Amino acid sequence: MSVLIYTEINKGKVKKASLECVNYGAKIAQSMGTTATAVVFNADAAQLEEIGKAGASKILSVKNDKLTGADNTILTAAVEQLAKAEGSKVIVFAFDVVGKAVAPRLSGKLKAGLVAGAVDYPVVSGSTLEVKKNVFSGKATAIYTINSDVKIISLLPNSFPVVLGENKASVADTSVDLSAVVSRITVKEIKSSSSGTTVPLPEADLVVSAGRGMKGPENWGMVEDLANALGATTACSRPVADMHWRPHHEHVGQTGIAIRPNLYIAIGISGAIQHLAGVNGSKTIVVINSDKEAPFFKSADYGIIGDAFTILPKLTEAIKKLKANSN
Amino acid sequence: MKILVAISNVPDTTAKISFANGDSEFNAAGVTFIINPYDEWYALVRALELKEAGKATQVTLIHVGLVDSEATIRKGLALGADDAVRINAEGPDAFFVAEQIAKYSKDNAYELVLVGKETINYNGSSVGGMIGGLTDWAYVSLATKLDFNGTTATIEHDIDGGTQVVECGLPMVVSCAKGMAEQRIPNMRGIMAARTKPITVVEPTGNDKLTSIKSFELSKGRTECKFIDENNVEQLVNLLHTEAKVI
Ligand SMILES: Cc1cc2nc3c(=O)[nH]c(=O)nc-3n(C[C@H](O)[C@H](O)[C@H](O)COP(=O)(O)OP(=O)(O)OC[C@H]3O[C@@H](n4cnc5c(N)ncnc54)[C@H](O)[C@@H]3O)c2cc1C
Ligand SMILES: Nc1ncnc2c1ncn2[C@@H]1O[C@H](COP(=O)(O)O)[C@@H](O)[C@H]1O
């Protein structure tokens, strides 16, 4: 009957989005009078420890070579078996790349209602759950009711800060039987995105983004300098990606990635409604634009009117100074 | 190979959003509807390209919705789809939509179902994966390239921190994202031809509504922008540190 939480390891660590899910699932379990069970594949002791600290009371630790990739056929089959064995009525995923594939596939298998991209804790109302999520690309929210027996929620990353406490989790080494699962997908090649050291865009707390106002790809050095000084991830508007000034995976907005970092700095971006749709969930928005009429200022917390080419180097220096002083 | 392209009917990207009936439903009055951009620009255009390259024999549109979506379906036909099916029922519960598409594709021997990455109104990214789960077909999400060699597809798609290239045999469901194709504008000939292309209306199966929307609320805008002089960027850094507390 427990709440089941799917967690993932990436680059040797438990994903931040997964820890958010454990926090979230533990709180749901509490309000439903049950316990939170996390599922993790091929984790080591330190990783299990961290999942425990995020609030799981039990961890199903599965070691299986078939569960190393991103194949949703296999991942779904494994989670399905574990959920059935646990008798889970609520299953929590992150609304990230893997969660967007596995959660709906599991929904199809279990006939379980799914709310994809929840932004708040569900309200338990009899045998249904009411969950809030963003709709109309962030222009509104909706309260969804999940009516099915088994319910799946995927949580929008960065909706809550991660809180770690004492580890009270029991670890259960568990196995799944994947012998009957046939996936027709064969991986031929994996290409990691260029910036190996920075946080991927959907998970980033700090984002520095620039648009057509930067005039050309040769001017991106100063955008990167600012991002490096902050420890931020870079992003861009759609025309910038379309003109191949920047890689496609940096494109944010309605047709790109939707993000909600703590800080979004928009440089030389006009603030078209389709751009805003992907960034207006950010906690704090700073806009730097030479046109005082730029629509983006209406959606900003802080604004500087002026030429990005002179402002950026000064801003980078000021950030470096702050960092130096606080160290 | 016959391709089924799932298209959704959504408010234009610049539409002003408002709600009616005590905030329980979307207010469609005065709103222009379009094909969901991912479905049109990427899924449909790539399907048409595959047909033009002789790799597909038929491109059929499928839409789950009421009669008022037919203008949107006609636009898809004008772009070059051969025919269309409308499942005569209201969305937007993703599972219900997926059940309809899963059943139709199985019953009518479609081996490739293309969906968009997500709808811009409900932003679920869910329907494709659900079809995969319901049919037990392979599901490749967030694809940016799709090509065929016989009945084997080569697909590039997003994974955490990068992309991967996979091969996959039919039948399968693919969700389509930016990169897969370029937007097309329907021409006069296409628009004329669309008038006589068939839209088959099919009654839905089952009535599973695993989720429903209880109420909507408009997101609150920001209060007011605080302007900082361009010669005083230190003040911005200070505010971000002490007031917003984000750095
Ligand atoms: C269906 C649809 C979906 C779309 N999806 C997206 C999306 O996902 N993401 C997206 O970004 N766009 C999207 N768009 C495009 C969007 O409408 C805008 O065209 C786009 O966001 C504009 O990009 P921009 O702000 O970089 O460029 P512009 O609109 O050209 O703005 C450039 C800005 O830079 C400023 N500037 C110029 N020089 C300087 C300088 N020296 N210093 C400081 N500022 C300067 C200008 O004042 C201007 O405000 C979509 C459009 C459609 C129709
Ligand atoms: N009512 C519908 N009719 C047909 N296809 C749909 C419908 N709703 C969603 N889809 C398809 O499913 C994709 C993902 O939708 P969603 O899960 O709502 O984000 C869309 O891009 C469409 O391809």
Side-chain angles (χ1 to χ4, degrees):
Chain A
M1 167 54 205
S2 64
V3 172
L4 196 78
I5 304 137
Y6 176 80
T7 67
E8 254 188 0
I9 312 291
N10 192 12
K11 292 196 184 126
K13 285 169 75 175
V14 184
K15 278 185 70 174
K16 180 167 152 251
S18 294
L19 294 173
E20 292 169 6
C21 287
V22 178
N23 277 178
Y24 183 79
K27 207 147 166 186
I28 298 175
Q30 204 177 24
S31 67
M32 295 178 72
T34 175
T35 55
T37 301
V39 171
V40 68
F41 302 144
N42 303 315
D44 65 25
Q47 293 155 351
L48 293 169
E49 169 82 14
E50 208 169 0
I51 295 171
K53 282 181 174 168
S57 21
K58 181 168 150 194
I59 306 174
L60 303 177
S61 168
V62 181
K63 298 248 163 43
N64 189 317
D65 288 344
K66 279 191 157 181
L67 295 170
T68 48
D71 190 323
N72 62 64
T73 310
I74 300 170
L75 295 175
T76 306
V79 181
E80 184 184 0
Q81 280 180 29
L82 296 166
K84 282 185 174 155
E86 278 283 302
S88 307
K89 294 292 181 201
V90 177
I91 306 170
V92 177
F93 290 88
F95 191 52
D96 58 7
V97 178
V98 173
K100 283 178 186 174
V102 178
R105 189 172 186 101
L106 186 64
S107 158
K109 291 254 166 214
L110 296 177
K111 221 176 175 183
L114 163 67
V115 171
V119 294
D120 206 347
Y121 293 103
V123 174
V124 184
S125 158
S127 64
T128 67
L129 286 185
E130 291 177 357
V131 198
K132 190 190 243 184
K133 84 175 222 78
N134 289 340
V135 288
F136 298 99
S137 305
K139 290 176 217 161
T141 55
I143 307 280
Y144 277 71
T145 312
I146 314 183
N147 310 311
S148 50
D149 179 35
V150 178
K151 303 169 176 70
I152 307 179
I153 304 175
S154 58
L155 175 66
L156 188 69
N158 278 346
S159 293
F160 301 102
V162 174
V163 182
L164 297 179
E166 198 188 325
N167 176 11
K168 294 183 192 148
S170 64
V171 175
D173 289 314
T174 311
S175 61
V176 286
D177 178 9
L178 299 172
S179 55
V181 184
V182 194
S183 173
R184 269 176 295 106
I185 299 176
T186 358
V187 178
K188 290 283 155 187
E189 189 188 348
I190 295 182
K191 309 177 188 171
S192 67
S193 45
S194 53
S195 46
T197 50
T198 52
V199 190
L201 204 43
E203 284 183 40
D205 280 333
L206 307 172
V207 174
V208 172
S209 183
R212 200 143 57 177
M214 289 310 295
K215 310 280 194 276
E218 66 281 6
N219 298 322
W220 243 263
M222 61 179 88
V223 176
E224 283 173 350
D225 288 346
L226 175 61
N228 288 340
L230 279 165
T233 304
T234 49
C236 68
S237 67
R238 184 170 130 212
V240 163
D242 282 349
M243 293 181 293
H244 305 291
W245 293 1
R246 298 297 290 176
H248 278 306
H249 65 252
E250 285 199 357
H251 158 199
V252 292
Q254 182 124 60
T255 44
I257 307 176
I259 54 170
R260 41 177 11 215
N262 282 333
L263 175 62
Y264 183 73
I265 303 185
I267 305 151
I269 301 176
S270 56
I273 191 156
Q274 299 92 354
H275 184 86
L276 293 176
V279 303
N280 59 8
S282 309
K283 190 167 159 239
T284 299
I285 294 181
V286 174
V287 169
I288 300 173
N289 198 302
S290 51
D291 174 10
K292 67 177 190 335
E293 305 292 338
F296 218 147
F297 286 122
K298 291 201 178 69
S299 304
D301 300 288
Y302 302 103
I304 302 184
I305 301 163
D307 183 0
F309 291 84
T310 57
I311 295 169
L312 288 190
K314 288 194 276 185
L315 186 56
T316 303
E317 278 319 302
I319 300 272
K320 283 187 182 157
K321 218 179 277 169
L322 173 86
K323 297 260 162 166
N325 288 341
S326 51
N327 278 341
Chain B
M1 172 179 68
K2 297 200 298 177
I3 309 179
L4 195 61
V5 180
I7 59 167
S8 177
N9 183 40
V10 300
D12 174 46
T13 54
T14 56
K16 197 163 163 38
I17 304 300
S18 67
F19 303 105
N21 258 339
D23 285 338
S24 68
E25 56 189 59
F26 177 69
N27 179 7
V31 172
T32 312
F33 281 80
I34 58 170
I35 307 177
N36 186 47
Y38 296 102
D39 313 352
E40 179 190 326
W41 302 359
Y42 309 132
L44 174 55
V45 176
R46 189 62 197 138
L48 296 172
E49 288 172 354
L50 287 170
K51 190 182 164 198
E52 287 156 9
K55 297 180 180 183
T57 51
Q58 189 180 344
V59 176
T60 302
L61 304 173
I62 187 164
H63 172 69
V64 182
L66 302 177
V67 67
D68 32 338
S69 327
E70 289 208 353
T72 299
I73 299 175
R74 290 266 172 233
K75 180 159 181 225
L77 293 171
L79 281 163
D82 297 301
D83 57 351
V85 180
R86 182 171 66 80
I87 310 286
N88 189 27
E90 210 163 359
D93 176 54
F95 187 89
F96 176 78
V97 170
E99 253 185 333
Q100 310 308 315
I101 299 174
K103 176 158 195 324
Y104 190 86
S105 49
K106 278 196 146 171
D107 289 354
N108 294 280
Y110 288 89
E111 292 175 297
L112 175 63
V113 177
L114 298 183
V115 300
K117 172 181 126 166
E118 67 179 79
T119 47
I120 63 168
N121 47 358
Y122 297 109
N123 309 107
S125 261
S126 303
V127 169
M130 287 174 179
I131 300 172
L134 286 162
T135 52
D136 227 349
W137 294 357
Y139 173 52
V140 180
S141 58
L142 310 177
T144 51
K145 284 195 182 120
L146 166 68
D147 210 345
F148 278 86
N149 191 346
T151 55
T152 305
T154 304
I155 308 170
E156 185 163 329
H157 75 123
D158 290 353
I159 53 170
D160 248 328
T163 57
Q164 75 180 7
V165 181
V166 298
E167 275 183 7
C168 185
L170 296 169
M172 71 181 140
V173 186
V174 178
S175 88
C176 303
K178 186 181 166 164
M180 183 164 284
E182 299 284 339
Q183 183 180 10
R184 287 185 182 181
I185 311 288
N187 58 26
M188 212 49 213
R189 243 183 76 217
I191 295 168
M192 296 305 288
R195 291 194 182 156
T196 53
K197 286 181 182 170
I199 300 180
T200 312
V201 179
V202 177
E203 290 308 312
T205 53
N207 61 350
D208 290 313
K209 289 272 159 71
L210 306 187
T211 65
S212 48
I213 295 180
K214 191 180 154 204
S215 61
F216 290 98
E217 189 182 358
L218 281 179
S219 302
K220 285 172 206 67
R222 312 229 158 214
T223 40
E224 203 167 320
C225 180
K226 209 177 252 186
F227 283 96
I228 292 130
D229 190 275
E230 60 170 312
N231 294 310
N232 194 6
V233 295
E234 289 76 15
Q235 189 195 352
L236 174 65
V237 174
N238 250 325
L239 287 168
L240 291 177
H241 185 57
T242 56
E243 187 179 79
K245 297 189 171 52
V246 287
I247 59 172

